[in-house]
Amino acid sequence: MTDPVLDVRGLRVEFPTRRGVLTAVDDISLTIGRGEILGVVGESGAGKSMTGMAILGLLEPPGRIAAGEIRLSGTRIDMLTESEMQKVRGRRIGAIFQDPLTSLNPLFRVGDQLVETIRLHTALSKSAARARALELMREVGIPAVEERIDNYPHQFSGGMRQRIVIALALCAEPELIIADEPTTALDVSIQAQITALLKRLCRERGTAVMLVTHDMGVIAETADRVAVMYAGRLAELGAVEDVVRRPRHPYTEGLMGSIPSLRKDMDELQMIPGAMPRLDSIPHGCAFNPRCARAGPRCRRDTPRLETTGAACWLALTGETA
């Protein structure tokens, strides 16, 4: 990929505590090109949202970026001050969060919130900003925009509120959008509409999208490539079709096996035994080894890297049981 919009190299996020330093994200490297959707998937606690927050510069103290680089269209942004980063957020990087109701101020009309955001990041007048807000609302599929622009957030359904949040993220024509679980609070039919909307806007505008989710079904329908995370590390990275059809990491196999199939009868869903490790008790070697039926001595001793296979698994790297 030439000249990626987002280029993350060796990112590590740490949280110093009285009992030692906890590593929440460890050696993450990924890129997203123009008009591409990268899905980031994994169980709760995998480090997906933490990676997004690090890119946005929104880590809560004492969290810190301890190593690595984050570049946006070739410009390094992880070293920017908070005031400098405020000019990047919203203008060059848009954000869509999980719960649209908490993303909108309940005391202000949605039109006022859109106009304020547009004027903050552009030189448009108030009337021109309102016209732009109406245009964005139409683009994301809000009906009767001339009437709805003066409604408050509580007067919209969950799906419509999420469309407003997407419109807010698009206000300044950002190069990158980080969508953190944008469909989790919505029912299945609305999820499909929102993911289709994101996909269409990405293609039409050439915007790079980092889609954070725990749902492999959403990834399969929406993303071009997928990064599977486990315990703060990348377990697998590759084209969606390759990862979904031919997963190389046992954790990815488990995630795919837990999806119900419409093509065959199933008495019970496959499940991955055990649970995601706590940050203060991540196992040595491959972090997934306590939950892996094929783990061997090397898996418990040495940490595998993605390298050329796209999977951080000794079985995938060597072709033999570790």
Side-chain angles (χ1 to χ4, degrees):
M1 183 185 301
T2 59
D3 300 324
V5 174
L6 178 69
D7 188 0
V8 179
R9 296 293 174 187
L11 178 66
R12 185 168 76 246
V13 175
E14 294 180 345
F15 285 81
T17 71
R18 283 181 284 184
R19 296 186 178 183
V21 176
L22 303 179
T23 302
V25 173
D26 188 12
D27 194 25
I28 296 294
S29 295
L30 51 85
T31 59
I32 311 177
R34 180 176 171 82
E36 181 185 33
I37 299 177
L38 174 71
V40 182
V41 68
E43 296 170 278
S44 296
K48 312 181 300 297
S49 296
M50 193 66 66
T51 301
M53 292 300 102
I55 294 169
L56 285 164
L58 292 176
L59 291 176
E60 290 285 343
R64 66 190 183 195
I65 295 176
E69 296 183 359
I70 302 171
R71 294 185 181 273
L72 183 64
S73 298
T75 302
R76 190 169 178 180
I77 62 172
D78 58 287
M79 302 294 289
L80 298 180
T81 64
E82 176 57 27
S83 61
E84 292 171 332
M85 197 62 197
Q86 285 178 357
K87 299 176 182 177
V88 173
R89 285 193 297 266
R91 179 65 188 89
R92 300 183 64 192
I93 305 178
I96 303 169
F97 296 109
Q98 180 172 339
D99 186 353
L101 191 58
T102 59
S103 299
L104 298 168
N105 191 322
L107 302 178
F108 293 93
R109 296 178 175 89
V110 296
D112 294 336
Q113 297 182 57
L114 285 164
V115 168
E116 180 184 18
T117 304
I118 292 168
R119 297 196 69 194
L120 179 65
H121 297 293
T122 69
L124 293 179
S125 65
K126 189 173 182 179
S127 60
R130 184 177 174 88
R132 174 64 177 150
L134 288 166
E135 179 185 338
L136 284 168
M137 290 176 69
R138 290 190 192 96
E139 189 172 1
V140 299
I142 303 293
V145 293
E146 288 81 3
E147 301 170 14
R148 302 307 303 274
I149 192 170
D150 292 318
N151 287 163
Y152 290 90
H154 72 271
Q155 294 176 281
F156 290 82
S157 66
M160 288 298 166
R161 281 195 293 266
Q162 193 62 290
R163 291 171 188 268
I164 294 294
V165 173
I166 293 173
L168 278 167
L170 294 171
C171 278
E173 301 281 347
E175 303 160 54
L176 170 70
I177 290 177
I178 296 179
D180 189 358
E181 303 275 11
T183 62
T184 299
L186 308 174
D187 62 59
V188 176
S189 61
I190 302 302
Q191 280 187 21
Q193 294 175 25
I194 295 300
T195 54
L197 173 62
L198 274 175
K199 195 170 184 177
R200 176 176 64 81
L201 293 173
C202 173
R203 299 293 184 265
E204 292 176 355
R205 292 167 170 264
T207 307
V209 177
M210 177 177 170
L211 176 61
V212 176
T213 181
H214 64 275
D215 190 334
M216 284 298 288
V218 171
I219 293 295
E221 290 293 327
T222 311
D224 300 297
R225 291 188 300 127
V226 57
V228 181
M229 290 190 67
Y230 186 83
R233 303 171 184 170
L234 280 177
E236 190 162 355
L237 177 64
V240 165
E241 184 175 355
D242 293 337
V243 173
V244 168
R245 294 182 181 275
R246 295 175 294 276
R248 299 180 61 84
H249 197 286
Y251 179 59
T252 311
E253 292 179 13
L255 291 178
M256 293 306 304
S258 65
I259 300 175
S261 175
L262 297 176
R263 297 181 180 179
K264 60 182 179 179
D265 294 332
M266 301 178 70
D267 294 328
E268 59 182 30
L269 292 177
Q270 177 181 328
M271 64 175 290
I272 305 173
M276 184 75 65
R278 295 168 55 90
L279 292 183
D280 58 357
S281 57
I282 295 177
H284 292 291
C286 173
F288 186 65
N289 79 75
R291 306 173 70 184
C292 181
R294 288 175 281 173
R298 190 176 189 182
C299 303
R300 301 181 182 93
R301 183 181 67 246
D302 302 325
T303 302
R305 303 288 180 183
L306 287 175
E307 297 187 1
T308 58
T309 67
C313 173
W314 289 118
L315 181 62
L317 290 169
T318 64
E320 303 174 354
T321 303

